[in-house]
Amino acid sequence: MRGEPIEGQTEERPRIAAEAPNSVASRRLRLVTYNVRHCRGTDGRVAPKRVAQVIAVLEPDIVALQEVDVGRARTGGLDQAEEIARLVGMFAHFHPALHIEEERYGDALLTHLPSRLKRADALPGLLQRPGLEPRGALWVEVTAGDVALQVLTTHFGLLGAERIAQAEALLGPDWLGDPACRAPTVLLGDFNATGWSRAYRRLSRRLTDARRLTGARRWRGGASFPSRFPLLRIDHVFVSERVAVERIAVVDNALARQASDHLPVLAEIRIGPG
């Protein structure tokens, strides 16, 4: 599947997969995590094509999206996951954390690489706060060369206790505790949690913040929210052993500042030998 040309897209370069068809260790993969706020920009306009343009110029292999609308009246009934995937030349996996009749809202993973869904499910909230927005997670196995990369994305809640419960669930046997996650694994998304939070620290016991592997201190720089005046680093990329991080950067340009209230985060990784 190939996407249609998007205004502002850079000249197409050979895809990473063409560099070394049988070995992932000799090439890098580009990952993006992006809370798109149902494609409603800071100007109030809903524009999936604009979000796709932000993504396309980064030439990613895998994209994790949060706050994606599918069939919702507020965004014209469009399947945003499929539309963005079509525009950037990828395939989409989608999980609705919220499902009301025909309207859905949740997380998506896009990739041009071979992939298969491993798990898509809800994450716990707080029993004493039944009105909280439901949260979920999505796990897709992506085949890159001769290696299976486990890719998980999520969007944590706004309350500290809620985020701790969700982090514990992700660390449990249904997710990161599954034997399949002994393989190279990446967890990325909007965690609504800074580097000082308890939820962040719990996840950091199992995985490593990709930013720390580039030599950056976790508490300095890297802010991605709000997009117009970034102050908070709450969009994270965590990696397991055997995943080397060559670069991580917040994509901060005029279009990205307008397309959503979050800025996308780009990570370039290499998968090392077992």
Side-chain angles (χ1 to χ4, degrees), residues 26-41:
S26 63
R27 67 173 197 236
R28 79 173 52 85
L29 298 175
R30 295 169 67 88
L31 285 68
V32 171
T33 183
Y34 194 7
N35 182 326
V36 298
R37 193 174 69 160
H38 57 272
C39 299
R40 186 177 300 277

Side-chain angles (χ1 to χ4, degrees), residues 45 55 73 86-87 110 117 168 174 193 202 239 245 256 271:
R45 186 165 64 93
I55 295 169
R86 181 183 70 82
L87 289 169
L110 317 181
L117 178 66
E168 293 292 355
D174 292 334
R202 293 194 185 194
V239 299
V245 180
I271 302 174

Side-chain angles (χ1 to χ4, degrees), residues 77-205:
L78 184 69
D79 185 331
Q80 292 186 338
E82 289 293 340
E83 178 66 4
I84 295 170
R86 181 183 70 82
L87 289 169
V88 299
M90 292 184 170
F91 295 96
H93 299 271
F94 174 74
H95 172 251
L98 175 67
H99 196 167
I100 303 175
E101 296 181 350
E102 298 302 315
E103 296 195 354
R104 295 180 289 166
Y105 167 81
D107 308 311
L109 277 168
L110 317 181
T111 184
H112 67 87
L113 296 167
S115 62
R116 65 186 181 102
L117 178 66
K118 293 284 287 185
R119 186 175 180 85
D121 208 347
L123 292 179
L126 297 177
L127 292 177
Q128 65 271 32
R129 297 289 298 274
L132 294 174
E133 180 181 316
R135 306 288 174 166
L138 179 62
W139 171 10
V140 171
E141 182 178 271
V142 177
T143 302
D146 54 0
V147 172
L149 177 67
Q150 310 304 315
V151 183
L152 293 82
T153 190
T154 189
H155 183 193
F156 278 4
L158 298 175
L159 301 181
E162 183 186 11
R163 292 193 295 269
I164 291 171
Q166 290 156 2
E168 293 292 355
L170 274 183
L171 292 167
D174 292 334
W175 299 96
L176 293 167
D178 187 292
C181 287
R182 295 172 188 162
T185 300
V186 176
L187 168 66
L188 65 173
D190 175 2
F191 295 86
N192 277 312
T194 67
W196 295 281
S197 71
R198 288 184 293 168
Y200 173 96
R201 292 199 302 268
R202 293 194 185 194
L203 291 172
S204 296
R205 295 172 192 163

